[in-house]
Amino acid sequence: MKIRARLTLLFTLITATILLAFATVIYYTTRDSREKEFYTALRKEAITKANLLFNAKVDQATLQEIYRRNRELLNEVEVAIYDAEFNLVYHDAIDIDLVKEDQLMINKIIKQGEINFYQDDWQVIGLRQEFQGEPFIITATAYDQYGYNKLNSLLTTLVVVFILSILIIYLAGRFFSRRAFQPIRQMIGQAAHISARSLDLRLPDSGNQDELSELANTFNEMLNRLEKSFDTQKHFVSNISHELRTPLAAIIAELELATYSKKSTEEYKAAIHKTLDDAKKLVRLSNSLLDLAKASYDPTEISFKVIRIDETLLAARQQVQQINPDYKVVIRFEDEFLLHQHQGPAAINGNEYLLKAAFINLLENGCKFSADRRCTVVISGTAGQISLEFADTGIGIPEQDLKNIFTPFYRGENQAFASGQGIGLPLTRKIITLHQGKISVASQTGQGSTFTVSLPLIDPF
């Protein structure tokens, strides 16, 4: 069952329950009121007839004749009067005698003073009254035809009004729920047309500050992120294909040339070295892609532990110099950092593998683009922050390239100076961001570049 139908039925059920409770209260209140009013009328009629008999000295035959004549036109009250010894003093119609009085009833009336009860649908009242100093027992009964007709009419009216009200409420609920859910149907229709080829489509926004508008805006924001993610993925795949194609094509070309004709040993060695260089490029590209993918994980999926920044940086320098023996890395500690070391080692909560990969990228870039293959790292810090400056005296970064250096696979003008895949710096920024840190760059063409990394420290103890 759809939400619109379910809400309509629920609204109708709640309203029906309220109306039913309201109608029930009205009916039973009216019924009790009719009963009390008729008992009061019976009591007055009984006392009046007793007054006519005892005080006005009206003849019994006259009273009985009046009763019989009235009974032919309406439900006249039948009155019976007894003395304290249960002797019948007066009866409107002994031959009819609707109330069968007995000694037990008379005793009860004498004891309680007044009783009320039903005999079938006839209401009966019994009361004790004194006339001329003597006690008498009076019983009176009648059928409230007029009151029952009014009660039945009220019941019929309540039932009809209840049914009509429920029908009107249900139809109104259907109409208003249809209008209320119209924006949702529009969203569903629009969402049905959104696919990977049409991520530019968006859900309609009514402009109202309500939950549906908030839902549409949230969904549209999600579509914005998906569209951006798809575009990034397409760009990523396109660049990956290009980066993989170039070394693979070179490897295939070298191997084919080596098999077409006989060559000398030196020529074969040269072909093998070229093929090996291209294979190493593929390995570096694969490792960079794996690191980039790992750095893009959900932080909850990456294991963090307490690591020392200085030890991680030294390990990164050792690995860089093992791969490139001509690279020179100088590490200098500022005074405030050394002072902080006396209070405790500079430690952060991080992933050692990823952080070392980020440092390796910065060290290799600094050495690679410097004529003297030198990169200087200056470490400074305070009680809550550590700063690492990776400086070189290389060719620098052109101003127009500075805003794009952290874009994956972007290659600026410096690609003519040194090879690369355009993954290192984007990977580095992802890793630093993953560690709640920041990275910035300052560069001047022909004078060198300085990358500054800031990371939050923790108390290792």
Side-chain angles (χ1 to χ4, degrees):
M1 182 183 293
K2 293 186 177 180
I3 296 178
R4 182 167 64 91
R6 194 158 62 241
L7 288 177
T8 302
L9 290 177
L10 181 61
F11 174 72
T12 303
L13 180 61
I14 293 174
T15 308
T17 303
I18 295 174
L19 286 177
L20 183 60
F22 184 68
T24 302
V25 170
I26 291 177
Y27 177 78
Y28 281 100
T29 301
T30 305
R31 191 187 70 169
D32 292 342
S33 178
R34 182 213 63 81
E35 181 183 88
K36 292 177 181 178
E37 288 177 359
F38 197 68
Y39 276 130
T40 301
L42 284 177
R43 189 176 189 281
K44 289 180 179 180
E45 184 71 19
I47 294 174
T48 299
K49 190 162 289 189
N51 280 327
L52 290 174
L53 178 65
F54 294 113
N55 297 330
K57 306 298 183 180
V58 177
D59 185 69
Q60 290 192 18
T62 302
L63 292 177
Q64 291 171 345
E65 183 63 23
I66 293 173
Y67 169 76
R68 292 183 182 275
R69 288 181 182 275
N70 288 343
R71 195 171 186 276
E72 294 176 359
L73 301 176
L74 47 84
N75 293 313
E76 180 65 8
V77 178
E78 180 186 284
V79 177
I81 303 175
Y82 295 85
D83 61 14
E85 303 299 329
F86 192 35
N87 297 314
L88 181 62
V89 177
Y90 170 81
H91 202 294
D92 279 328
I94 193 64
D95 54 327
I96 300 175
D97 195 18
L98 294 172
V99 180
K100 308 299 183 183
E101 296 89 350
D102 55 18
Q103 186 65 54
L104 183 62
M105 181 188 301
I106 298 300
N107 293 339
K108 188 175 182 181
I109 295 172
I110 294 173
K111 181 179 180 180
Q112 297 184 8
E114 183 176 326
I115 63 172
N116 301 320
F117 63 93
Y118 276 86
Q119 186 169 294
D120 294 330
D121 288 333
W122 292 64
Q123 288 178 243
V124 182
I125 186 172
L127 62 146
R128 184 182 70 239
Q129 287 287 322
E130 289 189 0
F131 294 96
Q132 300 174 355
E134 296 184 13
F136 292 92
I137 307 302
I138 307 172
T139 63
T141 183
Y143 180 79
D144 187 12
Q145 183 66 50
Y146 177 73
Y148 282 125
N149 288 343
K150 285 181 61 178
L151 198 61
N152 291 334
S153 177
L154 175 63
L155 180 61
T156 302
T157 302
L158 290 175
V159 171
V160 172
V161 170
F162 176 78
I163 294 174
L164 290 177
S165 299
I166 295 304
L167 180 61
I168 293 172
I169 290 170
Y170 176 77
L171 294 177
R174 292 277 296 179
F175 173 75
F176 287 110
S177 64
R178 181 180 181 85
R179 291 194 60 182
F181 278 85
Q182 182 66 30
I184 294 181
R185 286 199 298 273
Q186 293 177 354
M187 291 181 188
I188 293 174
Q190 184 74 350
H193 293 89
I194 298 176
S195 64
R197 297 182 179 180
S198 57
L199 282 176
D200 58 318
L201 297 178
R202 295 295 181 268
L203 297 184
D205 183 8
S206 61
N208 299 324
Q209 300 298 323
D210 54 15
E211 289 79 0
L212 292 180
S213 179
E214 185 178 352
L215 173 62
N217 292 333
T218 302
F219 195 83
N220 288 335
E221 290 174 2
M222 181 191 71
L223 289 175
N224 291 335
R225 293 193 297 270
L226 285 176
E227 185 178 15
K228 183 178 179 180
S229 177
F230 270 72
D231 290 341
T232 303
Q233 186 181 31
K234 290 178 183 178
H235 183 67
F236 183 83
V237 172
S238 176
N239 284 299
I240 284 295
S241 300
H242 174 74
E243 295 293 338
L244 290 175
R245 188 185 300 114
T246 301
L248 286 175
I251 290 174
I252 293 173
E254 290 291 340
L255 293 177
E256 286 180 345
L257 287 175
T259 58
Y260 284 157
S261 59
K262 292 184 179 180
K263 298 181 181 294
S264 65
T265 301
E266 294 300 323
E267 290 175 329
Y268 278 121
K269 286 183 178 180
I272 290 173
H273 281 300
K274 290 181 179 180
T275 304
L276 184 60
D277 289 338
D278 290 329
K280 288 180 179 180
K281 290 181 181 179
L282 283 177
V283 171
R284 287 196 296 271
L285 177 60
S286 299
N287 290 336
S288 297
L289 291 175
L290 289 174
D291 291 340
L292 183 62
K294 188 173 183 180
S296 301
Y297 289 165
D298 184 343
T300 59
E301 299 293 328
I302 301 176
S303 60
F304 283 79
K305 65 179 182 179
V306 177
I307 58 174
R308 289 188 55 171
I309 290 294
D310 50 352
E311 292 180 353
T312 305
L313 181 61
L314 291 172
R317 180 181 68 173
Q318 182 180 3
Q319 184 170 334
V320 168
Q321 292 180 334
Q322 284 179 349
I323 299 175
N324 305 281
D326 59 330
Y327 285 4
K328 304 177 186 65
V329 177
V330 178
I331 300 177
R332 189 170 69 246
F333 298 96
E334 293 291 343
D335 293 341
E336 60 267 25
F337 177 79
L338 294 175
L339 179 62
H340 181 263
Q341 287 289 84
H342 289 294
Q343 301 173 359
I348 70 167
N349 186 38
N351 183 280
E352 185 176 6
Y353 172 81
L354 289 178
L355 203 58
K356 185 169 71 173
F359 291 162
I360 288 174
N361 286 329
L362 293 173
L363 293 174
E364 285 184 341
N365 278 352
C367 295
K368 181 168 58 175
F369 292 104
S370 297
D372 58 356
R373 298 292 187 265
R374 178 186 293 270
C375 178
T376 302
V377 184
V378 179
I379 304 178
S380 60
T382 60
Q385 196 86 7
I386 186 171
S387 178
L388 299 93
E389 295 182 358
F390 297 79
D392 64 69
T393 57
I395 62 175
I397 304 172
E399 185 176 353
Q400 64 270 19
D401 291 337
L402 278 175
K403 60 182 179 180
N404 296 316
I405 60 174
F406 294 111
T407 302
F409 302 105
Y410 177 80
R411 300 298 311 281
E413 295 181 3
N414 58 11
Q415 63 179 327
F417 187 86
S419 61
Q421 295 88 26
I423 299 177
L425 288 178
L427 170 62
T428 300
R429 186 170 72 167
K430 279 187 176 293
I431 293 174
I432 299 303
T433 304
L434 189 66
H435 287 77
Q436 309 299 320
K438 296 180 181 179
I439 182 171
S440 60
V441 59
S443 180
Q444 291 186 358
T445 304
Q447 297 185 18
S449 304
T450 300
F451 287 85
T452 303
V453 175
S454 299
L455 293 168
L457 292 174
I458 63 170
D459 185 357
F461 306 104

